[in-house]
């Protein structure tokens, strides 16, 4: 089966650093995405990892270990606007759809940034 | 980002009604997706269209019927829905090729079944 686990909720302080973990068991792994979703809005793309290691994009970094089925999203210098749900999603190849892939999502981690 | 537009944003309907959700993407992508997002549950993939051909139907009840008339438009036709179908329905698009492009999402349609 396919399963993605991430914490349901986290709380952090403005200006601090927070790490959101994601573990997965899937078949046909073809990359891992992190999305941010504010209430009532569309999920927006944050980062992508397909090889092991750290990808850094400004205040956001994402890490992947394929052998451990583990990823984390690191948010630095937290701002109030970072309060949102953070979705971990694993991409796997569709067996009969040509180059098309599908995303399998975790339940999301609701992050509350406090002053 | 206005690359993927969904209408309507909110929809209230009775169980015997027929309605349609519309999605339009302005990004030149070749794949489109319907997802269902319920409270406390992961986004659930419903349908995948690649080059206007349905390539995935994720065990979705027949009361949901997708239509993809061209690469820019995707519809979800609804009829005789149940209260448990109340949820946020998200459309997404992507360029599926050898590059590692993310899916881009619309703001969704909030559906309430009376």
């Amino acid at each position: 089966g396919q399963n993605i686990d991430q914490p349901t909720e986290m709380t952090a302080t403005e200006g601090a650093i927070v790490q959101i973990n994601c573990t997965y068991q899937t078949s046909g792994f073809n990359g891992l995405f992190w999305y941010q979703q504010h209430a009532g809005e569309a999920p927006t793309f944050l980062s992508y990892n397909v090889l092991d290691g750290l990808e850094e994009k400004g205040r956001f970094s994402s890490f992947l270990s394929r052998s451990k089925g583990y990823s984390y999203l690191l948010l630095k210098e937290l701002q109030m606007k970072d309060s949102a749900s953070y979705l971990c999603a694993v991409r796997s190849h569709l067996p009969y759809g040509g180059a098309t892939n599908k995303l399998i999502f975790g339940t999301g981690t609701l992050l509350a940034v406090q002053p | 980002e206005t690359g993927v537009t969904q209408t309507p944003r909110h929809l209230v309907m009775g169980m015997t009604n027929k309605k349609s959700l519309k999605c339009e993407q302005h990004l030149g992508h070749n794949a489109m997706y319907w997802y269902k997002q319920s409270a406390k549950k992961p986004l659930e993939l419903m349908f995948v269209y690649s080059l206007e051909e349905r390539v995935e139907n994720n065990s979705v009840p027949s009361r949901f019927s997708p239509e993809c008339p061209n690469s820019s438009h995707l519809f979800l036709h609804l009829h005789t829905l149940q209260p448990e179908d109340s949820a946020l329905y998200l459309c997404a698009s992507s360029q599926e090729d050898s590059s590692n492009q993310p899916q881009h999402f619309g703001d969704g349609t909030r559906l309430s079944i009376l």
Side-chain angles (χ1 to χ4, degrees):
Chain A
Q2 309 198 67
N3 191 47
I4 298 176
D5 289 312
Q6 48 181 133
T8 304
E9 296 180 355
M10 297 184 71
T11 302
T13 304
E14 192 176 14
I17 299 172
V18 70
Q19 178 174 312
I20 302 174
N21 296 323
C22 173
T23 58
Y24 63 89
Q25 300 94 39
T26 63
S27 58
F29 178 84
N30 192 22
L32 187 144
F33 291 83
W34 283 95
Y35 283 83
Q36 180 192 61
Q37 186 178 23
H38 286 99
E41 297 183 11
T44 55
F45 168 70
L46 287 178
S47 69
Y48 171 73
N49 297 72
V50 66
L51 300 176
D52 291 353
L54 189 68
E55 293 285 339
E56 297 187 76
K57 290 177 66 175
R59 295 191 299 116
F60 297 83
S61 303
S62 57
F63 172 83
L64 175 67
S65 169
R66 289 172 295 171
S67 62
K68 296 181 179 179
Y70 169 68
S71 174
Y72 67 72
L73 179 69
L74 194 70
L75 292 77
K76 304 175 186 176
E77 302 170 15
L78 281 173
Q79 302 175 10
M80 299 298 290
K81 68 178 182 178
D82 296 329
S83 295
S85 185
Y86 290 86
L87 311 178
C88 172
V90 172
R91 183 167 72 175
S92 62
H93 195 68
L94 285 171
Y96 41 77
T100 309
N101 295 271
K102 65 177 181 181
L103 288 180
I104 302 160
F105 283 84
T107 54
T109 299
L110 185 61
L111 174 67
V113 179
Q114 299 177 339
Chain B
E1 178 178 317
T2 58
V4 181
T5 304
Q6 290 187 243
T7 54
R9 289 296 309 276
H10 301 274
L11 178 62
V12 179
M13 57 188 285
M15 288 190 285
T16 58
N17 292 155
K18 291 183 179 182
K19 295 287 185 182
S20 296
L21 310 185
K22 179 182 176 182
C23 176
E24 183 175 1
Q25 60 100 357
H26 313 276
L27 301 168
H29 289 162
N30 61 5
M32 297 187 76
Y33 311 79
W34 279 117
Y35 289 88
K36 176 183 179 182
Q37 188 174 34
S38 304
K40 309 294 185 184
K41 295 178 68 176
L43 266 78
E44 302 171 48
L45 180 64
M46 300 174 71
F47 301 103
V48 180
Y49 276 82
S50 175
L51 299 174
E52 301 152 44
E53 179 181 343
R54 191 191 313 178
V55 296
E56 176 86 343
N57 177 344
N58 217 23
S59 302
V60 178
S62 59
R63 57 186 184 269
F64 294 92
S65 175
E67 178 189 2
C68 187
N70 55 61
S71 60
S72 299
H73 293 86
L74 186 65
F75 295 90
L76 189 63
H77 304 299
L78 316 171
H79 63 97
T80 59
L81 295 191
Q82 304 299 309
E84 61 266 27
D85 297 323
S86 297
L88 180 68
Y89 288 85
L90 289 163
C91 173
S93 70
S94 67
Q95 183 62 26
E96 292 297 307
D97 51 28
S98 58
S99 65
N100 299 313
Q101 298 299 312
Q103 291 183 16
H104 295 255
F105 286 83
D107 284 333
T109 295
R110 173 68 63 183
L111 177 65
S112 298
I113 306 300
L114 302 178

